Amino acid sequence: MTMVPSLLSDPCSFVILGGTGDLTRRLLFPSIVHLAEQKKLSPGFVLVGFARSQLTNEQYFEDLWEGMTTVSTDPSVRSWLAERTFYVAG
């Protein structure tokens, strides 16, 4: 018997150390947006950025979103990710 892989990821927390860095802006966050557009992330998905800057969750998300060169045209993707994006300063 062969198992068919699930199209959705398991519920998870994706923690990015250095969450305000260049790698996050150029590669990681755009990849997460792409997965959200393709509806491949679980409803239990959470993104947590960790860095030294003092930012609110909203400031962090807006900073990441504005840095994207290819922004999703679907406003539901933006709001879905905004609800699941958090920031921790440390």
Side-chain angles (χ1 to χ4, degrees):
M1 172 182 221
T2 59
M3 303 250 333
V4 177
S6 171
L7 296 178
L8 284 178
S9 68
D10 290 332
C12 69
S13 297
F14 190 89
V15 179
I16 302 174
L17 304 176
T20 58
D22 185 54
L23 177 66
T24 302
R25 293 174 201 277
R26 287 186 310 109
L27 299 173
L28 296 176
F29 189 68
S31 297
I32 291 169
V33 170
H34 178 71
L35 289 172
E37 289 173 331
Q38 301 298 314
K39 303 210 183 310
K40 293 192 177 183
L41 296 175
S42 164
F45 175 81
V46 174
L47 173 65
V48 179
F50 179 85
R52 293 183 298 176
S53 304
Q54 295 295 322
L55 299 171
T56 66
N57 294 336
E58 294 79 16
Q59 289 171 326
Y60 179 63
F61 180 78
E62 290 300 323
D63 188 43
L64 289 176
W65 195 264
E66 288 175 8
M68 297 235 339
T69 54
T70 56
V71 177
S72 171
T73 57
D74 186 356
S76 67
V77 171
R78 179 186 170 108
S79 63
W80 189 88
L81 278 173
E83 293 171 3
R84 291 163 173 77
T85 301
F86 301 93
Y87 180 77
V88 177

